[in-house]
Amino acid sequence: MEATIMNRYLLAGAAAAALALGAGAANAQAKFDVKVGGDAYFEAGYVDQDVDSGLRSTEFRNRMRINIIPSAKADNGLEYGARMRLRANSGASNTRTTDADRAYIFAQGTFGQVRMGVSNSFNDETYVTASMDYLKLGAYDDVTAWINLPSSTAGTVTGNSILNPSIAPDANSTKIVYFSPRMAGLQLGASYTPRNDSSNTDISRSKPTGTLAGTSNGIYQDMVEVGANYNNTFGGVTVKASAGYMWGRAVDDVVGSNYKDLNAWQLGANVGYAGFTLGGSYIDYGKSGQNERTGVFTETTRNWTVGAQYTTGPIVVGANYKNGKDAGSLGTTGDRELQVYEIGVGYTVAPGLTLQAQYDYFDLDNDASAADDKGNVVLVRSILAF
């Protein structure tokens, strides 16, 4: 406990020191430039799967996000500002909502960059996996949204899909993140998140507590992250790599419960030459968040990806294989495995306007709690980035 408290205050103190050193004799008033950008997509999908009772085979969906970034630069070189991302998001039952899924202030200079607020974790911002530029806006696991997966352990204990390739159980909650300057291709980083179910103006000082009957819980406290990424070029060969580790406390136990603390790590690498890239990643959560007691059948939550792509002019084509595994239902022995074989193509029509298509074959091997499933997914989309 004392070590965890020391870690969080060391990170907060380092962030404050970096800001103080960078500020120096910064101007009391400065002129802010405000940049507005964002992205949008429209996607059409067709799904053919074995377990399809009560399901339609076709659907459309769309999303739009707007970034608002006010920033200024002091005479001493300190850059500072804020970012808010507005998102036209949920539309279930035509209950259309708009939220702000990013909102933080930042400062950057020779010391690197510090972010404070609702932000990605360091690994989620910088992780490396197989190149998949033929998929939309970094949503590399998005096919899982189309295949009607039964609820499972991965979604609870990681807050993401069984195929998500980055460490992101923090749920973009309010945090402090530090990005070091990049030196000889290497960048280091760290973050601290008090708890992953509290954002913006919310103050949540209560201690989350599990239950004896519960099988898993995805709330974590005092989450600390360290990581590194590498990006360099040697004689036309591009080399990228990442490594990250995040840990934190699970919910408090009651008599008879045994919720496992968060321990998650990620490794990824990618090599490119003459338009070709080959890469992959592995992420492991162990038994984080699972209630390891009699009658609960815990298993490791993990996934890995490997893939290749080729880019020539406005065209990119690629293929990858994704494999995710978790406990499935913790009330049943065995585990659940999802395999996805994916190919895709993208074409840049004009700057900021891209057309894409992808095909996925998936094979889901469930534990005894649900039926196995397999099927085909075809998606076509248009993407606007500005």
Side-chain angles (χ1 to χ4, degrees):
M1 177 65 178
E2 291 181 356
T4 300
I5 294 173
M6 183 63 71
N7 283 332
R8 74 190 189 195
Y9 283 116
L10 282 174
L11 182 57
L19 288 175
L21 289 172
N27 294 339
Q29 294 183 346
K31 179 181 178 181
F32 280 81
D33 295 320
V34 179
K35 296 180 180 179
V36 178
D39 54 61
Y41 71 77
F42 175 86
E43 184 172 67
Y46 171 80
V47 182
D48 173 28
Q49 63 186 114
D50 290 350
V51 182
D52 62 355
S53 177
L55 299 176
R56 300 173 58 246
S57 59
T58 59
E59 177 63 308
F60 291 161
R61 69 171 177 170
N62 70 291
R63 185 190 68 189
M64 185 169 184
R65 302 185 296 189
I66 300 292
N67 283 301
I68 304 172
I69 307 174
S71 64
K73 187 172 184 177
D75 292 339
N76 64 356
L78 178 70
E79 296 181 50
Y80 54 100
R83 176 194 175 203
M84 174 177 282
R85 187 169 75 180
L86 302 176
R87 178 178 62 170
N89 192 28
S90 176
S93 301
N94 257 0
T95 305
R96 291 181 285 269
T97 62
T98 299
D99 62 7
D101 68 333
R102 302 292 186 276
Y104 60 84
I105 62 176
F106 65 86
Q108 60 190 34
T110 57
F111 57 85
Q113 185 186 77
V114 176
R115 296 180 183 176
M116 295 170 287
V118 176
S119 170
N120 291 355
S121 66
F122 177 80
N123 185 261
D124 196 31
E125 184 87 3
T126 64
Y127 75 94
V128 174
T129 186
S131 295
M132 292 177 272
D133 297 330
Y134 47 91
L135 302 181
K136 66 175 183 293
L137 305 172
Y140 302 144
D141 60 333
D142 217 23
V143 66
T144 57
W146 286 89
I147 58 180
N148 196 43
L149 289 175
S151 58
S152 66
T153 304
T156 299
V157 302
T158 75
N160 298 286
S161 85
I162 193 173
L163 298 178
N164 187 281
S166 71
I167 302 175
D170 58 289
N172 306 122
S173 299
T174 297
K175 63 173 59 64
I176 298 174
V177 193
Y178 172 68
F179 300 79
S180 79
R182 190 173 296 278
M183 301 180 64
L186 179 66
Q187 182 183 50
L188 306 177
S191 72
Y192 170 69
T193 307
R195 55 188 292 166
N196 65 344
D197 63 344
S198 180
S199 298
N200 294 323
T201 60
D202 178 56
I203 298 174
S204 183
R205 298 181 57 229
S206 62
K207 294 181 178 180
T209 302
T211 63
L212 176 60
T215 57
S216 62
N217 195 305
I219 297 176
Y220 303 108
Q221 314 164 68
D222 296 320
M223 304 168 70
V224 180
E225 170 198 28
V226 293
N229 69 86
Y230 181 78
N231 189 340
N232 217 334
T233 301
F234 305 92
V237 178
T238 300
V239 179
K240 300 179 180 179
S242 67
Y245 176 55
M246 183 181 287
W247 68 97
R249 290 192 296 126
V251 293
D252 289 353
D253 282 315
V254 296
V255 176
S257 72
N258 183 25
Y259 288 90
K260 309 305 290 183
D261 287 341
L262 171 67
N263 280 283
W265 57 274
Q266 187 266 358
L267 293 173
N270 194 301
V271 177
Y273 179 74
F276 291 93
T277 63
L278 176 66
S281 61
Y282 181 88
I283 188 166
D284 193 306
Y285 282 86
K287 296 183 179 181
S288 300
Q290 299 177 51
N291 187 5
E292 196 169 52
R293 60 162 175 81
T294 302
V296 177
F297 302 94
T298 60
E299 297 284 348
T300 294
T301 302
R302 61 95 179 127
N303 73 69
W304 59 277
T305 301
V306 63
Q309 78 171 31
Y310 175 66
T311 303
T312 176
I315 299 173
V316 56
V317 295
N320 70 78
Y321 169 77
K322 302 181 176 79
N323 183 297
K325 184 175 285 190
D326 69 0
S329 170
L330 286 162
T332 305
T333 58
D335 55 28
R336 176 184 73 153
E337 182 181 31
L338 175 63
Q339 301 181 77
V340 173
Y341 302 82
E342 186 173 70
I343 59 174
V345 59
Y347 176 72
T348 301
V349 179
L353 179 62
T354 303
L355 302 179
Q356 294 179 341
Q358 73 182 78
Y359 166 75
D360 296 76
Y361 172 79
F362 73 91
D363 187 349
L364 177 64
D365 183 13
N366 270 309
D367 57 23
S369 66
D372 294 344
D373 197 6
K374 63 181 182 295
N376 306 278
V377 181
V378 178
L379 303 174
V380 294
R381 70 183 71 89
S382 58
I383 299 173
L384 180 69
F386 56 95

